[in-house]
Amino acid sequence: MKRVTAIFLSIILAVSLAACGQTGTEQQADMQTENSDNVTQGTDVEDKPVQVQETDVEDGFILITGGTFQMGSPDTEAWRSDDEIQHPVTVSDFYMAPYEVTQAEYEAAMGSNPSNFSGSDLPVENITWLEAVSFCNAYSVEKGLEPVYSIDGQNVSWNRSADGYRLPTEAEWEYACRAGTTTPFYMENSPSAEEANYYGHYPYMIEDNYFSQGNLTVKPGEYRQTTVAVGSFSPNPLGLYDMHGNVGEWTWDIYGAYPDEEQTDPVGAATGTCRVYRGGGWNDFAKNMRCAYRAMMDQDKGSFNIGIRLVRNAHPGSGSVEGTEAQVGDSGTGSSILIAYFSWGGNTRGIAEEIQSQTGADLFEITLVNPYSSDYNTVLDEAQRDQNEQARPELASHVENMDDYDTIILGYPNWWASIPMPIASFLEEYDFSGKTIIPFCSHGGGRFGQSLTAIAKLAPDAAMGEALSVHYSGGTTLKEDISQWLETNSIK
């Protein structure tokens, strides 16, 4: 890995820490908001202080001294999710890479580079979780270490005594990201666009201050729309770079609810279909880069904003942890496919109608008993209000024969970096167990945001197909883009 040139600085930082509208149609409503409460950085006095030491291994990794912390977020944290319930967690010592894995490192070990963006010092992205664990093994062999994972198709087991490279657990990742702090981010305030690579137009609490930004501690900044070289910004107090933004980072854990009791070195849910990734990426709003925010995706799917950060054991563990085979759905044809969509300004409707013309599938519009305002500025407020409250607006239309469909092509505009709440109402109304959901969204620059995570959390027993993001109404390439996407999902 890239050698650490800032370890000495990180030690000093750690010691210091211890001492102290666009207008337009629906895709333009990549609606993002925040609440501008002042937040302060602090250390839980009951937690064991986090320390930094230089590793004695020739890979530049940083020794993270273990301890106990409150994993998750307090009820008072703005834009928290219900799956972030705080609970005490103890983690053991471990080594963590100061940088995300670069494309040069990945290509040297794997012989290929799947990244959406190109650059040797850019983080590798667009890799699946399965590819991430394969890289861990290949990189371990390259460095003369014992591979950690046994991989059999979709099934992966983790030998906790092996000394090779691996993915962090969720708990390890959050503990390292927080670096002894208890606030939404490891820095005192929301990261600015000068401190992290993200959708800088939407700092923390922008949602509640979209039209009047005087109360914002951090003002909107640059949106780069690409990854940047690893280590481009200052590190956190432990000497770890890009823990917020640039690319999300795969963890070992299968996604599931947190337990109520205290845990030591937890490894995630025993079963499930999705793996957790953390930290947020170049196209995420700040609210989805919080230390406690949990994103997830099927282990056999990748994305242009998900990469890897490696860790190693500081001391040999014991036993092994078994993975599970990812759920695979079969896309159907003809009447077994339903195209269900929610549209505000008409762009999503246009995309849905083009999909219907190419597939002949049934078309269903999700409508509301009390529709949103037709005024753009007003609907911005209504949409962020409903999302902040996790409201479930009442639907006026219903699918009477949902059991007849095995594949749901689900469309929506990207609102505030997630799904509109009518989509949440729709997903909670029906049982999607054993079905395949294939999402598509219209957007004004944020692509999917965290909408795929939101869908997966609401329909955990459904398989997820390859998603499609369409900029505004799609332009002249829409027909061909949809044709290729349908072929990718084995729908003709």
Side-chain angles (χ1 to χ4, degrees):
M1 300 294 291
K2 184 180 271 190
R3 297 300 302 270
V4 182
T5 59
I7 292 178
F8 181 71
L9 174 61
S10 68
I11 297 173
I12 294 174
L13 288 170
V15 172
S16 298
L17 176 67
C20 358
Q22 64 198 35
T23 61
T25 53
E26 64 189 349
Q27 349 18 6
Q28 292 172 305
D30 276 357
M31 302 178 182
Q32 307 150 38
T33 65
E34 307 190 87
N35 304 305
S36 54
D37 300 334
N38 291 327
V39 294
T40 57
Q41 187 177 39
T43 301
D44 189 334
V45 296
E46 297 181 356
D47 290 353
K48 182 177 178 180
V50 180
Q51 302 174 28
V52 182
Q53 299 178 32
E54 185 171 0
T55 173
D56 58 359
V57 181
E58 291 300 320
D59 55 14
F61 279 32
I62 294 173
L63 176 62
I64 310 298
T65 302
T68 300
F69 75 113
Q70 291 293 320
M71 187 173 180
S73 61
D75 293 341
T76 55
E77 185 165 306
W79 292 101
R80 75 185 297 271
S81 299
D82 291 341
D83 60 356
E84 299 172 15
I85 296 174
Q86 277 194 319
H87 59 295
V89 171
T90 299
V91 296
S92 302
D93 298 353
F94 61 98
Y95 289 107
M96 177 171 266
Y99 303 102
E100 295 161 336
V101 172
T102 66
Q103 294 179 27
E105 290 162 345
Y106 187 89
E107 189 167 0
M110 303 298 287
S112 62
N113 180 9
S115 301
N116 182 68
F117 304 103
S118 180
S120 60
D121 59 353
L122 298 181
V124 68
E125 28 81 10
N126 206 31
I127 59 172
T128 70
W129 182 90
L130 290 169
E131 290 169 336
V133 295
S134 293
F135 168 77
C136 290
N137 280 359
Y139 196 68
S140 297
V141 171
E142 180 181 317
K143 299 300 182 181
L145 301 173
E146 181 183 1
V148 166
Y149 301 115
S150 295
I151 304 170
D152 180 14
Q154 295 273 355
N155 297 306
V156 181
S157 61
W158 165 19
N159 176 6
R160 301 189 74 169
S161 66
D163 66 351
Y165 297 101
R166 61 178 177 84
L167 302 178
T169 64
E170 263 203 280
E172 288 172 334
W173 190 96
E174 185 172 329
Y175 180 77
C177 181
R178 289 189 176 281
T181 65
T182 59
T183 44
F185 308 90
Y186 68 73
M187 61 274 291
E188 182 176 358
N189 300 305
S190 165
S192 69
E194 289 71 44
E195 296 174 299
N197 182 32
Y198 70 107
Y199 204 144
H201 301 341
Y202 299 94
Y204 196 44
M205 306 310 298
I206 185 68
E207 290 86 349
D208 289 352
N209 300 273
Y210 191 71
F211 297 108
S212 178
Q213 298 173 2
N215 292 328
L216 282 176
T217 302
V218 174
K219 299 299 191 293
E222 181 181 5
Y223 176 32
R224 298 174 180 86
Q225 303 187 58
T226 181
T227 56
V228 298
V230 301
S232 293
F233 304 95
S234 298
N236 81 348
L238 299 184
L240 305 172
Y241 294 81
D242 300 311
M243 294 299 284
H244 297 309
N246 213 17
V247 290
E249 299 168 12
W250 284 117
T251 71
W252 161 263
D253 296 39
I254 295 172
Y255 176 80
Y258 286 152
D260 295 330
E261 67 275 9
E262 182 173 354
Q263 291 186 294
T264 298
D265 292 328
V267 294
T271 60
T273 62
C274 292
R275 298 283 179 168
V276 177
Y277 64 95
R278 292 295 207 107
W282 58 269
N283 66 325
D284 275 309
F285 294 3
K287 65 182 179 182
N288 294 331
M289 300 195 306
R290 293 175 299 108
C291 296
Y293 182 76
R294 309 173 70 199
M296 65 176 183
M297 184 175 287
D298 288 350
Q299 66 180 30
D300 60 352
K301 290 183 172 58
S303 178
F304 43 72
N305 64 345
I306 307 177
I308 323 170
R309 185 185 301 268
L310 299 181
V311 300
R312 290 182 63 198
N313 293 341
H315 310 286
S318 61
S320 64
V321 182
E322 301 298 322
T324 59
E325 185 169 354
Q327 180 175 344
V328 178
D330 294 322
S331 298
T333 58
S335 62
S336 63
I337 302 174
L338 176 69
I339 305 165
Y341 70 94
F342 170 75
S343 188
W344 178 76
N347 289 318
T348 307
R349 179 180 297 109
I351 299 165
E353 289 172 348
E354 176 60 32
I355 296 170
Q356 201 261 349
S357 72
Q358 293 192 32
T359 61
D362 294 341
L363 193 64
F364 174 79
E365 182 173 7
I366 299 168
T367 58
L368 301 181
V369 171
N370 298 304
Y372 288 119
S373 171
S374 59
D375 176 71
Y376 179 77
N377 289 347
T378 302
V379 80
L380 283 175
D381 282 337
E382 292 174 342
Q384 73 88 10
R385 175 205 65 206
D386 279 0
Q387 194 181 82
N388 199 1
E389 296 174 357
Q390 285 297 291
R392 297 294 187 263
E394 184 179 357
L395 303 184
S397 53
H398 306 275
V399 180
E400 302 298 335
N401 58 333
M402 183 62 81
D403 289 344
D404 293 347
Y405 301 103
D406 54 35
T407 299
I408 312 299
I409 300 178
L410 183 63
Y412 53 91
N414 173 341
W415 277 8
W416 297 115
S418 191
I419 56 172
M421 289 301 95
I423 294 294
S425 297
F426 176 80
L427 290 171
E428 290 185 347
E429 183 171 338
Y430 308 99
D431 180 8
F432 291 95
S433 300
K435 299 183 186 296
T436 297
I437 296 176
I438 305 177
F440 69 93
C441 81
S442 54
H443 69 94
R447 302 199 190 184
F448 300 113
Q450 285 295 334
S451 63
L452 302 183
T453 284
I455 293 169
K457 289 180 180 181
L458 289 166
D461 297 321
M464 188 83 78
E466 294 292 337
L468 174 70
S469 65
V470 178
H471 192 240
Y472 296 100
S473 59
T476 58
T477 65
L478 179 65
K479 184 174 182 178
E480 179 60 26
D481 291 342
I482 288 176
S483 177
Q484 293 178 4
W485 170 63
L486 292 173
E487 185 175 350
T488 298
N489 283 287
S490 300
I491 297 175
K492 308 299 184 182

